[in-house]
Amino acid sequence: MRLFISGRKSLRGICSVPPDKSLSHRALIFGSFAHGQTQIQNLLDADDVMSTVRCLRSLGVKIESRGNGEWVVDGVSGGRLTRPDLPLDCGNSGTTIRLLMGLLSAHPFESILTGDGSLRQRPMDRVAIPLMRMGAHIEGRTERYLPPVIVRGGFLRPIAWELPVASAQAKTALLIAGCFAKGATTVVEPVKTRDHSERLLRYMGAHLVSKGRAVTVIGPTTLRGVPIQISGDPSSAAFLFAGAAGSPDGELTVTDLCVNPTRTEYLSLLHKMGAQVDIRDLKEVSGEPVACVSVRGARLRAVSPEWWQIPSLIDELPIIAVLASIAEGETRITGAQELRVKESDRIRSMAVELRKMGADIDERQDGWQIRGPAPLKGATVRSWGDHRVAMALAIAAIYADGVTVIEDAQCIAISFPQFPQLLAQLGGEIRVE
């Protein structure tokens, strides 16, 4: 699929965005080992989440779609998953493979976890090493435990583990394993990451204690099946907000958006860059804060995130690089080496493609140095098979002169299948080929 996008547009209007991807994965996986039924409203229907559905079904979990975003998971309380007949294909989803590693470590059979070419190059050592300390046997390629990963689970013991890198996926994998171990499993993060897992585990009845950068689960624990409503994904909304934020006549409102404090650093950054941000009608839905969020555009000024903000901005950094290209001044993004091991090497892919469009961007080992405002121009660019790179380039195209062609854009379906159509509804001029 190729996208043809005409520039010099700004986004205006009111919309909703797809359900949160992180919450969708967690609702399915936590529901799979809960007692009773978990009824999920507004599950994200995108490739990554469907990879989780297929893997859980291969493990004997009954998962039913009732239409209109409603899904029901019949939990196998007590860890009664069944051995899969074939390798579990996690597609492009790092969340799926890492969280399932935690779950399968508590089950006494062998499983093979694999994925597409991109996922097979992503390191799993941050999950494999502590799970082996808990008693699982795990094999992978190289010392980084690249997939395919073999997991042989069984009786787990609790541990206290300090993560070497900030990773919500690694933290969640250990908390899942800790639900099956007898005693206190503690995970300490170098910097606090998104806390969807802690909120949802508590909501489903787990005994968790959070203190500073540490979270402890007391096991063994039995989760209970509960109704879960998935709110809008702030990482998806970030692209649309960017399409309004950089233009004085841009104005966008997103309804029913998750505003978990560990996910709103991007909105704070937009405000510091000069955009007007309004959060209203705050409520709690299934343990998560949800609100209506509006962003009004302006002439942006460069703002360099602090190192401690980077984990909370990790999914938004590609679109932040775009905004930095049109902002007045110099932006330095450092401490973001985690971008090297995402769906693509996002540091390199964004630098290469934005330079094609005229951006003044230098690639650094752990981020970028970007000088703006740059007169962006339409160009032919490629996605590198990365959904967030593709969407970031689509927003860059809105601010560019002329037509931009984005090749290999079908990867957008990984998280935001409706993105091209929604972009057009909000004022973008876009053609899909």
Side-chain angles (χ1 to χ4, degrees):
M1 183 175 80
R2 294 196 294 176
L3 300 182
F4 295 77
I5 303 175
S6 298
R8 292 304 172 191
K9 307 291 180 182
S10 58
L11 301 188
R12 295 181 61 86
I14 301 173
C15 69
S16 60
V17 294
D20 189 83
K21 186 156 73 80
S22 294
L23 284 170
S24 295
H25 284 298
R26 286 158 173 78
L28 289 165
I29 292 174
F30 295 174
S32 74
F33 65 95
H35 177 72
Q37 282 193 341
T38 297
Q39 297 180 347
I40 306 171
Q41 295 285 344
N42 204 33
L43 186 82
L44 176 63
D45 185 5
D47 291 353
D48 269 10
V49 175
M50 292 305 107
S51 291
T52 292
V53 170
R54 288 191 296 272
C55 288
L56 290 174
R57 283 173 170 165
S58 295
L59 291 164
V61 181
K62 183 181 177 183
I63 303 176
E64 178 187 358
S65 170
R66 295 184 174 175
N68 297 318
E70 181 181 354
W71 293 69
V72 176
V73 182
D74 286 321
V76 288
S77 177
R80 296 190 300 273
L81 299 179
T82 58
R83 179 176 179 170
D85 295 329
L86 298 170
L88 299 171
D89 185 356
C90 301
N92 191 247
S93 177
T95 303
T96 302
I97 192 169
R98 291 188 175 117
L99 270 57
L100 287 182
M101 286 173 67
L103 179 59
L104 292 169
S105 290
H107 289 78
F109 51 74
E110 180 178 291
S111 305
I112 301 174
L113 294 156
T114 188
D116 66 11
S118 171
L119 189 65
R120 291 196 299 273
Q121 298 306 313
R122 298 176 68 179
M124 300 297 144
D125 52 339
R126 67 189 59 172
V127 177
I129 292 171
L131 288 176
M132 289 191 290
R133 292 284 183 90
M134 295 182 75
H137 181 80
I138 299 176
E139 299 175 20
R141 294 183 295 119
T142 80
E143 70 279 0
R144 300 301 307 274
Y145 289 84
L146 303 181
V149 174
I150 300 172
V151 180
R152 300 184 188 94
F155 180 79
L156 298 180
R157 53 183 175 270
I159 61 168
W161 188 261
E162 187 162 349
L163 291 171
V165 294
S167 170
Q169 294 174 1
K171 172 179 65 176
T172 303
L174 298 184
L175 292 177
I176 291 172
C179 287
F180 294 89
K182 186 177 181 180
T185 296
T186 299
V187 184
V188 182
E189 303 180 276
V191 179
K192 188 170 177 59
T193 63
R194 58 185 64 175
D195 66 353
H196 298 307
S197 296
E198 295 95 309
R199 288 172 179 264
L200 188 54
L201 285 170
R202 286 194 186 95
Y203 182 67
M204 298 180 75
H207 183 187
L208 262 77
V209 178
S210 297
K211 186 176 181 180
R213 295 181 290 110
V215 57
T216 300
V217 61
I218 309 299
T221 186
T222 299
L223 304 185
R224 62 176 184 272
V226 293
I228 299 172
Q229 174 82 24
I230 310 293
S231 49
D233 192 329
S235 295
S236 293
F239 298 97
L240 301 178
F241 283 142
S247 173
D249 62 348
E251 185 172 1
L252 181 68
T253 297
V254 176
T255 59
D256 295 318
L257 186 67
C258 178
V259 289
N260 182 307
T262 62
R263 302 288 297 279
T264 56
E265 202 66 58
Y266 175 75
L267 295 176
S268 299
L269 187 70
L270 288 184
H271 176 71
K272 291 177 183 176
M273 295 180 77
Q276 181 178 324
V277 179
D278 179 44
I279 301 175
R280 61 188 183 277
D281 300 332
L282 186 66
K283 58 187 176 182
E284 184 171 298
V285 178
S286 301
E288 292 282 350
V290 177
C292 181
V293 179
S294 298
V295 171
R296 182 176 298 169
R299 295 186 65 179
L300 301 180
R301 56 182 176 270
V303 174
S304 298
E306 300 290 340
W307 65 270
W308 51 267
Q309 296 174 295
I310 294 299
S312 297
L313 292 169
I314 200 70
D315 284 342
E316 290 78 25
L317 287 175
I319 191 58
I320 290 171
V322 172
L323 291 174
S325 297
I326 64 171
E328 182 73 37
E330 182 177 276
T331 301
R332 292 176 179 264
I333 296 175
T334 60
Q337 57 269 22
E338 179 71 7
L339 292 179
R340 297 281 188 190
V341 291
K342 291 292 187 177
E343 284 85 337
S344 70
D345 178 344
R346 287 179 178 165
I347 293 176
R348 178 166 175 74
S349 57
M350 287 303 301
V352 168
E353 303 308 322
L354 283 178
R355 276 198 292 266
K356 293 177 183 177
M357 301 181 71
D360 188 355
I361 178 171
D362 293 330
E363 177 183 346
R364 300 286 186 250
Q365 181 57 37
D366 62 347
W368 306 284
Q369 184 175 352
I370 306 169
R371 291 161 291 273
L376 299 181
K377 298 179 180 180
T380 298
V381 295
R382 65 187 182 98
S383 72
W384 297 54
D386 190 323
H387 57 128
R388 300 201 194 277
V389 170
M391 289 187 284
L393 293 173
I395 299 302
I398 286 177
Y399 290 109
D401 280 323
V403 177
T404 296
V405 180
I406 303 174
E407 296 181 328
D408 193 24
Q410 64 271 14
C411 56
I412 288 172
I414 288 170
S415 63
F416 200 159
Q418 314 93 326
F419 177 77
Q421 293 77 17
L422 192 52
L423 200 64
Q425 291 172 22
L426 296 170
E429 188 175 330
I430 181 170
R431 179 168 62 89
V432 180
E433 183 179 280

